[in-house]
Amino acid sequence: FCYCKSITSPCNPRTTMDPTGQQVQRRDADIPPLLSLFVNGAKNFAKKNKTITGSYFLGLFLLLFATGFKVTDDMRVAYDSKLNQIDDTSKQAAWTKLRRAEERHYHSKGFFSCDANCQNAKRELDAARYSYDTQVRAENDAVSDAKAEPAERTS
């Protein structure tokens, strides 16, 4: 039930009329503002955990202002030429062979058993997986060598 003096203003229990006749919003003293609770909690945490807070702000500072190392044109050209030597077609062929072997094995196996056809498909799948893993390992080694070469040249 509302006891508003004005018919034109909506009735809100948090508003009252001041002596000049204008509506004034009341503030509940019992409910502290959430922002001050958050700020006080953050201050207390920072005071209790100085090393965590300091390392957090150091990390933020480094992320914002550290620029890293400049890559020279010679280093970039050497890296790009090493990456261009990687053979992607053999890896793609191994991937295709692996997917076909997985599909053949999936369709040949039974619900509870694996007959001779299924065993052959499983061996084919294992060989295809080994071939693909070998190609991926070779590519990763080439990328690793390309990344390590400029560091070896500068030292």
Side-chain angles (χ1 to χ4, degrees):
F1 192 76
C2 182
Y3 294 107
C4 290
K5 293 183 180 179
S6 172
I7 297 174
T8 59
S9 67
C11 184
N12 186 350
R14 291 185 55 108
T15 60
T16 58
M17 302 294 277
D18 80 350
T20 60
Q22 296 177 348
Q23 278 192 348
V24 178
Q25 182 131 7
R26 266 188 312 159
R27 208 166 204 201
D28 291 336
D30 299 338
I31 303 172
L34 292 177
L35 182 61
S36 64
L37 283 175
F38 178 74
V39 170
N40 288 337
K43 263 197 280 188
N44 289 338
F45 180 83
K47 286 178 183 176
K48 289 179 185 175
N49 304 301
K50 292 179 181 174
T51 54
I52 293 173
T53 307
S55 61
Y56 176 78
F57 283 111
L58 176 66
L60 283 178
F61 179 79
L62 289 175
L63 283 173
L64 290 174
F65 299 110
T67 59
F69 300 104
K70 178 123 174 87
V71 177
T72 63
D73 288 335
D74 294 336
M75 292 169 68
R76 185 183 50 78
V77 168
Y79 181 73
D80 288 343
S81 68
K82 278 278 197 183
L83 289 183
N84 288 336
Q85 292 175 358
I86 297 174
D87 184 22
D88 287 335
T89 56
S90 61
K91 181 182 169 191
Q92 288 296 328
W95 173 258
T96 304
K97 187 176 177 183
L98 174 64
R99 291 295 148 221
R100 285 186 182 148
E102 283 177 342
E103 186 175 331
R104 182 171 175 252
H105 178 255
Y106 177 78
H107 290 296
S108 66
K109 65 182 178 179
F111 194 68
F112 288 113
S113 64
C114 190
D115 59 357
N117 187 25
C118 175
Q119 292 295 326
N120 289 335
K122 175 69 172 150
R123 280 191 288 277
E124 181 185 324
L125 174 63
D126 290 340
R129 184 171 287 132
Y130 178 77
S131 173
Y132 177 72
D133 289 345
T134 303
Q135 294 295 327
V136 168
R137 212 172 303 117
E139 181 179 339
N140 289 343
D141 290 343
V143 170
S144 178
D145 290 344
K147 288 179 180 179
E149 183 180 322
E152 292 169 357
R153 218 182 316 146
T154 57
S155 57

